[in-house]
Amino acid sequence: MINNIKAWFIKRNPIFTSHLQRIGLLRIIPPALAMYIMIPVYIFFHIVCIKLLYNLLICPLLSVERIELKHYIVIDRHLLPGLSYTAKFHCAYCGYANGLSVATSVLLTRISTEARLPANNILRVLLIFAYFITSGLSVLAQSLVILSFDYVMAPLLGLHRMSMQQATDKMKASGFAGEFTVFGKLGRQLLRFEYNCSLRHANSLEQIESQWCPIKHLDDYPGAVYPEHHEFFIERCELCKLRRVLCSEGTVSTRKPTW
């Protein structure tokens, strides 16, 4: 009877039980709580920063194409049969957070290359003020996730952090915002700092998702844009293989946990 219950629980929670076996419960609980606490932050980031401020206000005034979040936020892995409700929630959460992260990176890249100030001087002043507020809120929201990852999740789960300098080097290599002069030198520095946060935010989510929901999406949706690290994810029909990989290596990422 006990063995049957154990087998049923493992089958319904292949990811959680893999990490439970590998690193133990005490290292799992604090990171899990840290991610749950970030849910309101992501909702704020999504609705206030991306949809209301960037999409409805900043992008039209800068003549920048709005971001279509439906192409980036793909939530379908919770439909996998046999998973527990907790596992389904984690998969949906990963799809939501990673979609916002990729969309943010694309949005900031568009601003750095397409932005044009309006001709009306009053609109210019309002736009500059609104942009600085929006960018500041975006930095704040993403920084909360980064801090949670760097000081709670990464140390306990053995995940890899990205320093501000590493993000800066990556940004310089790509030439991001090298010729951005729309808001002057200060505006360029703020845009680059926000993109720096975006890179570190993306790194945090790559490490988390590669460990806690490394399952490929159910279908290829027209126009969908997935994070690059999804290429290492395991097919939904290979959950037994997924459990073996997580039990032995801890992640599907090329950067393995430090323990």
Side-chain angles (χ1 to χ4, degrees):
M1 179 68 175
I2 294 177
N3 288 335
N4 289 337
I5 294 175
K6 182 179 179 180
W8 174 84
F9 185 76
I10 291 175
K11 183 178 180 180
R12 296 268 290 177
N13 300 274
I15 298 173
F16 172 76
T17 53
S18 298
H19 296 305
L20 181 64
Q21 176 181 326
R22 192 177 64 85
I23 60 176
L25 187 61
L26 291 180
R27 286 185 180 172
I28 293 176
I29 292 178
L33 293 176
M35 278 308 298
Y36 296 151
I37 291 172
M38 289 298 107
I39 292 175
V41 176
Y42 275 112
I43 294 174
F44 172 84
F45 183 55
H46 175 193
I47 296 176
V48 176
C49 295
I50 304 298
K51 288 189 70 70
L52 293 180
L53 294 176
Y54 268 126
N55 260 3
L56 295 182
L57 180 62
I58 304 299
C59 286
L61 290 176
L62 283 176
S63 301
V64 172
E65 181 185 357
R66 296 176 182 177
I67 202 77
E68 291 287 344
L69 288 174
K70 65 181 180 181
H71 295 318
Y72 301 91
I73 300 176
V74 180
I75 300 176
D76 62 359
R77 289 172 292 184
H78 66 289
L79 299 174
L80 283 169
L83 293 180
S84 67
Y85 288 112
T86 304
K88 290 175 182 288
F89 172 76
H90 290 161
C91 286
Y93 190 2
C94 279
Y96 178 61
N98 276 274
L100 285 175
S101 174
V102 176
T104 302
S105 177
V106 173
L107 176 61
L108 295 179
T109 300
R110 287 180 184 175
I111 290 175
S112 72
T113 57
E114 301 175 9
R116 300 291 183 274
L117 283 175
N120 187 289
N121 288 331
I122 296 178
L123 283 180
R124 284 191 178 193
V125 173
L126 292 175
L127 172 59
I128 292 172
F129 177 76
Y131 171 75
F132 276 69
I133 294 295
T134 302
S135 184
L137 291 174
S138 172
V139 166
L140 175 62
Q142 294 186 85
S143 294
L144 289 174
V145 177
I146 294 167
L147 289 171
S148 177
F149 175 80
D150 284 357
Y151 294 101
V152 180
M153 294 176 240
L156 289 173
L157 298 175
L159 302 179
H160 297 269
R161 292 172 283 194
M162 176 182 283
S163 68
M164 185 177 293
Q165 185 59 52
Q166 288 173 321
T168 298
D169 293 341
K170 185 174 182 179
M171 183 169 54
K172 286 181 178 178
S174 68
F176 178 81
E179 299 180 1
F180 182 77
T181 58
V182 173
F183 297 115
K185 184 177 180 180
L186 181 60
R188 178 174 176 270
Q189 290 176 341
L190 183 58
L191 178 61
R192 287 173 64 84
F193 183 69
E194 185 179 358
Y195 192 71
N196 186 295
C197 289
S198 176
L199 289 174
R200 288 183 288 144
H201 180 204
N203 172 78
S204 302
L205 294 178
E206 180 271 331
Q207 286 286 284
I208 294 168
E209 190 179 29
S210 295
Q211 190 176 72
W212 287 95
C213 192
I215 305 170
K216 289 188 176 181
H217 286 280
L218 304 190
D219 295 298
D220 290 327
Y221 299 95
V225 180
Y226 301 114
E228 293 181 0
H229 61 266
H230 278 207
E231 66 177 290
F232 302 110
F233 282 15
I234 293 173
E235 295 290 347
R236 58 189 180 276
C237 58
E238 298 180 306
L239 294 185
C240 291
K241 175 185 176 182
L242 172 63
R243 178 167 165 74
R244 289 196 302 271
V245 171
L246 294 182
C247 282
S248 59
E249 301 180 26
T251 182
V252 300
S253 173
T254 55
R255 295 178 295 166
K256 304 305 179 185
T258 55
W259 53 32

